[in-house]
Amino acid sequence: MSLVPGKEILAEANRQGYAVGAFNFNNLEFLQAIVTAADHTETPVFIATTEGAIKYAGLDYIVAMAQTAARSTKTPICLHLDHGRNLDVIRRCIDAGYTSVMIDASNLAFEENTAKTKTVVEIAHKKGVSVEAELGRLKGIEDNISVAERDSFLVDPEQARRFVKATGVDSLAPAIGTSHGAFKFKGKPRLDFDRLHQVKALTNGLPLVLHGASTVPRELLDRCQKSGVKIPGAQGVPEEQLIQAIKHGINKVNVDTDLRLAFTAGVRTVLNENPGQFDPRKYLSPGRESVAELVKGKILLFRQGR
Ligand code: PH4
Ligand code: ZN
């Protein structure tokens, strides 16, 4: 199959009340693992690259690999630019064959975010490319935080309504208390589901996206620790809270950190057990298998629906 627009995958997920996974890749092994998992579970998936991934792997390599991967399966695959900030990079991705782009202007004032997002929508929609945008900042909700502090970085549902109407975006990532990486919460994990519920209602049921959704599962941390990875205090979003978020209208769940952990555990374990091994195929394969297993589990979890 050819790469499909993100909008098509999200419309179906939204209609049926489930979420699809968006998994980041920077190299061939992660891409193969993600597409294998999508193919085995026969579930559509977003394969996501950030500007950092493009810098690392090269835009032409990414697009060629993604198109080859999509052709290898009947399952719909969307090639997505994650956290696009630079208009020039966004334009290059659209011209090169991406089928979805995120414009992340969430660091700008509301009016500037709206204007920049609108520009991207105009450019992308002309080529049939879907657009995701973000409101609020990705930051964990600390214990004992005041309402004013919480309001200062989480999405404002009324602004979300105005933003969606003014920009014509195809999906929105509202900040509800998650953050990127392996250290998401200092205290108890907490997401603002009321706010999420209001955003879904005020945006007429627009597909919503949850960033920073790695769960940093205990068994994965144990495997990492056993292989020598040192990340004390790592904590992700609990699975039950992800399910809650999907019930409240999330249709795309972004995961990167868990894949990194799974890959690293796979590679380190085989290298530790075989100090004489220096054939990359021998130590990258366990990393790739480890990511494929993890992604399969995520896809099935997100698919459960509300
Ligand atoms: N992302 C992934 C961002 C990766 O610059 P970079 O390539 O390191 O950025 O958008 C997520 O939302 C992933 O969330 P997670 O950290 O909880 O997996
Ligand atoms: Zn993100």
Side-chain angles (χ1 to χ4, degrees), residues 24 26 49-53 82-83 102 138 179-182 184 210-215 237 254-260:
N24 290 73
N26 294 270
T49 61
T50 57
E51 292 177 355
D82 190 23
H83 294 286
M102 175 186 187
L138 292 172
S179 62
H180 288 152
K184 297 190 189 299
L210 187 67
H211 280 254
S214 277
T215 55
V237 179
N254 282 22
V255 185
D256 185 7
T257 298
D258 285 348
L259 277 67
R260 296 181 184 193

Side-chain angles (χ1 to χ4, degrees), residues 209-256:
V209 178
L210 187 67
H211 280 254
S214 277
T215 55
V216 191
R218 187 70 256 164
E219 63 277 11
L220 193 50
L221 274 184
D222 289 346
R223 278 178 61 210
C224 281
Q225 263 151 21
K226 244 186 239 157
S227 72
V229 180
K230 289 192 171 53
I231 40 170
Q235 188 178 193
V237 179
E239 264 187 20
E240 318 78 72
Q241 296 203 22
L242 279 188
I243 300 292
Q244 279 292 103
I246 294 168
K247 280 192 176 26
H248 283 99
I250 291 293
N251 303 111
K252 171 173 171 277
V253 179
N254 282 22
V255 185
D256 185 7

